[in-house]
Amino acid sequence: MSKNHRGSGIRSLPAKGRGTCAICGKTDIKVLFEKDIDGKTVKICKFCNANLKNKAKVEARKAKPAAEEAPAEAAE
C-alpha cells in the first residue's frame, strides 16, 4: 500500500517540525509534543515525552501502595 500522506501533518510546520528540544537540548530533532514545564508550554522531542510519561507511571505505582496502606491504618 502507498504511504503518500505519511508525515503530511508536519510538512506545513516551520522547518518541518524540527527544532531544539527544551529538555535534552538536542538540535535539529522533531519537537512535536507540547508540555507544561514550570508553568511554560514548551515543545519537546518524543524521547523526552516518553521519559516524562514513564516517570509519571513509576510515581503513580509508588503512590498506589501508600494509598492502600493508609485506609488500613485508619481502620485500626
Side-chain angles (χ1 to χ4, degrees), residues 9-52:
I10 63 170
R11 288 186 199 139
S12 62
L13 296 174
K16 296 183 181 174
R18 294 186 177 267
T20 303
C21 179
I23 295 177
C24 64
K26 289 183 183 178
T27 57
D28 200 32
I29 192 167
K30 291 179 188 172
V31 286
L32 303 173
F33 302 95
E34 291 185 355
K35 290 286 182 176
D36 290 328
I37 299 175
D38 297 331
K40 294 181 181 178
T41 302
V42 295
K43 290 193 162 216
I44 59 174
C45 63
K46 71 176 188 177
F47 304 109
C48 293
N49 186 44
N51 191 13
L52 290 174

Side-chain angles (χ1 to χ4, degrees), residues 1 5 19 25 33 44 58 61:
M1 294 198 60
H5 304 292
F33 302 95
I44 59 174
V58 169
R61 283 188 192 157

